[in-house]
């Protein structure tokens, strides 16, 4: 089951290497930022492994829809961590996305 996660990670590394060779960005990162980068990298790798696991073991249709909700998580984190205000349309989008998850979860339990 972890083979899918390895393929995803290898693909990402190859794309990053090619883009680094083409664009030649400066890769200097200050020591104070290193712990945050390590946490983000570990969470990203964990998310990819969990998505791979879900797509191999569970329904791909459900896993793909739930994985597509990452912008909602970004908006919610910006609201509570950065204290950003949500516009009415953003709030409506978050509510609709979470309602969609509830509908999908209730349908996944329904007998076929």
């Amino acid at each position: 089951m972890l083979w899918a996660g390895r393929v995803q990670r290898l693909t990402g590394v190859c794309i990053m290497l090619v883009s680094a060779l083409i664009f030649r960005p400066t890769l200097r990162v200050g020591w104070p930022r290193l712990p945050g980068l390590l946490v983000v990298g570990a969470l990203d790798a964990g998310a990819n492994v969990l998505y791979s696991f879900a797509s191999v073991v569970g329904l791909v249709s459900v896993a793909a829809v739930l994985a597509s909700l990452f912008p909602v998580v970004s908006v919610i984190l910006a609201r509570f961590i950065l204290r950003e205000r949500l516009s009415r349309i953003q709030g409506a989008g978050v509510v609709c996305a979470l309602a969609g998850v509830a509908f999908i979860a209730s349908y996944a339990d329904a007998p076929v």
Side-chain angles (χ1 to χ4, degrees):
M1 284 181 267
L2 292 178
W3 63 268
R6 289 185 186 127
V7 170
Q8 285 179 337
R9 182 56 50 197
L10 181 62
T11 303
V13 168
C14 290
I15 290 171
M16 290 303 296
L17 286 175
V18 168
S19 64
L21 289 173
I22 292 172
F23 296 112
R24 304 264 185 202
T26 59
L27 299 175
R28 288 192 193 147
V29 177
W31 285 106
R33 292 185 178 172
L34 191 60
L37 289 174
L38 292 174
V39 168
V40 168
L43 290 174
D44 178 54
N48 284 329
V49 167
L50 290 174
Y51 176 72
S52 300
F53 180 75
S55 64
V56 171
V57 173
L59 296 173
V60 175
S61 58
V62 175
V65 169
L66 292 177
S68 70
L69 291 175
F70 72 90
V72 174
V73 175
S74 299
V75 169
I76 291 171
L77 288 174
R79 171 67 182 110
F80 291 109
I81 292 177
L82 300 176
R83 305 281 187 227
E84 290 185 10
R85 299 183 77 180
L86 294 178
S87 67
R88 288 182 189 215
I89 194 77
Q90 286 173 319
V94 168
V95 168
C96 287
L98 295 177
V101 169
F103 287 134
I104 290 169
S106 66
Y107 180 74
D109 291 338
V112 176

